[in-house]
Structure formats: C-alpha cells, structure tokens
Amino acid sequence: MWSQRRVVDYGLAKRAVVRSLHAGQASRGDVCDAQPYLLRAARYFGQPTERLCPVCEKENVTNVTYVYGDSLGRHAGQAKVASELAAMAHDYDEFRVYVVEVCQGCSWNHLTVSYVLGNGPPDLAGQA
C-alpha cells in the first residue's frame, strides 16, 4: 500500500503463544477464544489465506482487517476488506490498521500486523 508506514509485526508473539500451547503451558481454550463478532467478521470481511491454522492444522486462517483513527468518524473500529483500504488511505488523514488472523474452525485468533495508512504528514523520524 502506497502510504503504509510504522509497521509492527507480531510474529514473535504468535510463535511464543503457539510454543506455549504445544509445551502444555497454555490450554487450547486459552488461545482459541475468538468472539462471535470476530468469527462473523472473518466470514463476511475476511481475506482467505493459504496458511494452515497453527493450532488445529485443519483449516486455513482468514485475515480480518480493522481500522482505527480519529479522522475515520463512523468507520473507526470497523472491519474492512483490502480493496477499501486503498481508497481510505487517500481520503483520510492518518489511521491505524490491525490485521488479525482467525481460524473459523477452532476459533484461534491472533494479531499478526499493524501499520499506519492515510494521507497525513510524512514521518519525520530519522530526518535532520
């Protein structure tokens, strides 16, 4: 995405959760706790992937994308499809995007990545 910046990848946290599940330090109920709203969002707004669920290893996970930001008004906190993000990046000031992977079979869910979009001011970090 043309204005994507300040990317945070939560892959290490995900691996730690999966590792603790396989080591018996966490139960499946602890990690497979997707709320009904999240499961519905995955069904209607989710983007299917080719990645197997790390817990049940039976179904592919679905990415659900949420947007948050003061400039979004009524759109803040809503699930969006990827095609809507490009238009929103042009139409709105800075806003944050969160991508959650969800298994509709076992209810696994985990935040995978977050980033900032929008036509707000460019990042000045590292510039002198």
Side-chain angles (χ1 to χ4, degrees):
M1 186 111 359
W2 71 272
S3 70
Q4 185 175 350
R5 56 198 180 275
R6 287 188 255 163
V7 178
V8 179
D9 185 331
Y10 296 91
L12 289 175
K14 173 185 165 182
R15 285 193 289 275
V17 169
V18 172
R19 190 177 17 241
S20 69
L21 175 68
H22 293 310
Q25 298 167 337
S27 72
R28 191 170 175 158
D30 291 336
V31 299
C32 295
D33 59 353
Q35 298 295 317
Y37 177 77
L38 180 56
L39 294 171
R40 277 193 304 276
R43 188 176 319 125
Y44 296 111
F45 298 100
Q47 179 179 357
T49 72
E50 297 295 321
R51 294 187 320 272
L52 271 178
C53 173
V55 176
C56 72
E57 297 178 339
K58 295 178 184 174
E59 293 191 30
N60 291 339
V61 295
T62 302
N63 285 341
V64 182
T65 303
Y66 289 96
V67 294
Y68 292 90
D70 294 337
S71 68
L72 297 178
R74 64 181 178 87
H75 296 289
Q78 292 183 352
K80 298 291 182 184
V81 293
S83 61
E84 292 177 288
L85 294 178
M88 291 178 72
H90 287 284
D91 294 342
Y92 293 98
D93 286 337
E94 195 170 87
F95 61 95
R96 186 156 280 282
V97 178
Y98 295 90
V99 180
V100 179
E101 72 175 21
V102 180
C103 177
Q104 296 180 59
C106 73
S107 296
W108 156 263
N109 64 102
H110 200 279
L111 179 62
T112 59
V113 67
S114 70
Y115 52 90
V116 171
L117 287 179
N119 60 16
D123 286 338
L124 299 176
Q127 296 179 3

